[in-house]
Amino acid sequence: MMKRVLCLLLIGFSIYGRGQDFASKFMEVCEEKEELKCQTIGPKMMERLMSMPDTEEGDENDYDTGYFLSKLKSARIVTAERHGEGYFDRAKSLLDKNRNRFVPLRETPEGKNSRIFVRRHDDRIKELVMLNLNRNDGVLTIINFTGDMDDSFIRQLSKGKKKDDD
């Protein structure tokens, strides 16, 4: 009887663990939660954003906002304004421990302050995790998208990022 209960608990925890996105798991493993802030944009907010009018003609954005948002199920943004470097290392370590689930989108030389990881299923990206550490002020930002994304989504995201960086 005890073995059966223990097996059911283990199965339940493993199913629960698989359903979590990276940001949720990261918040769970970090004990100093008061230093971490997590904001979630869920499906209902995504629907509201999608119902907003798209960019006006002549706008410099060359991607369709509706397309972009339609690929997302949720977005979580985790920030740490203090101890960012330690949290960055902890996030990298958690991703490295889960290499069977998350793979780097492209290899990044060690010492770089940003990383992008994806979780794929049947050539679709189900989860995208972007880590960024601003070494000037020590602020960590983790952006975690879940949904049904493809490589064109990543290209559009990269274009938008480059424009923001200019």
Side-chain angles (χ1 to χ4, degrees):
M1 178 70 173
M2 189 65 140
K3 284 182 183 180
R4 198 176 294 165
V5 170
L6 185 57
C7 283
L8 288 173
L9 284 174
L10 289 174
I11 290 170
F13 283 124
S14 68
I15 290 170
Y16 172 73
R18 287 187 188 148
Q20 278 188 317
D21 62 13
F22 177 79
S24 298
K25 184 66 176 170
F26 181 72
M27 293 295 290
E28 182 181 292
V29 300
C30 290
E31 296 168 4
E32 307 90 322
K33 291 184 181 187
E34 64 272 358
E35 292 179 354
L36 293 171
K37 308 254 185 298
C38 183
Q39 296 179 337
T40 301
I41 301 171
K44 289 201 185 283
M45 180 58 80
M46 292 290 178
E47 285 177 28
R48 287 187 188 142
L49 290 171
M50 285 177 58
S51 68
M52 295 175 64
D54 209 356
T55 58
E56 295 179 19
E57 257 185 66
D59 195 345
E60 292 182 11
N61 292 332
D62 64 350
Y63 60 88
D64 179 19
T65 306
Y67 165 80
F68 188 78
L69 292 173
S70 72
K71 297 296 180 182
L72 298 178
K73 180 179 171 187
S74 70
R76 290 183 195 263
I77 302 169
V78 177
T79 56
E81 294 184 8
R82 295 180 40 209
H83 309 293
E85 194 162 330
Y87 286 120
F88 181 81
D89 291 341
R90 193 178 289 183
K92 279 191 330 185
S93 175
L94 185 59
L95 286 162
D96 287 341
K97 285 180 185 175
N98 289 286
R99 282 279 183 166
N100 59 335
R101 186 173 182 185
F102 294 100
V103 295
L105 187 60
R106 55 187 152 270
E107 289 300 323
T108 309
E110 195 58 42
K112 291 290 184 182
N113 60 347
S114 63
R115 301 268 196 294
I116 299 176
F117 292 83
V118 294
R119 179 174 56 89
R120 292 183 185 266
H121 180 42
D122 296 333
D123 287 338
R124 305 298 289 176
I125 298 168
K126 297 299 181 184
E127 189 169 358
L128 178 122
V129 178
M130 296 184 290
L131 303 178
N132 186 58
L133 175 65
N134 184 330
R135 296 211 188 264
N136 293 332
D137 58 14
V139 173
L140 167 74
T141 305
I142 299 172
I143 299 174
N144 188 182
F145 293 133
T146 60
D148 186 28
M149 300 160 275
D150 55 18
D151 291 324
S152 69
F153 176 90
I154 301 297
R155 283 192 294 278
Q156 293 294 339
L157 185 63
S158 296
K159 285 180 186 178
K161 186 178 182 324
K162 286 177 186 171
K163 285 182 182 179
D164 292 343
D165 291 343
D166 291 341

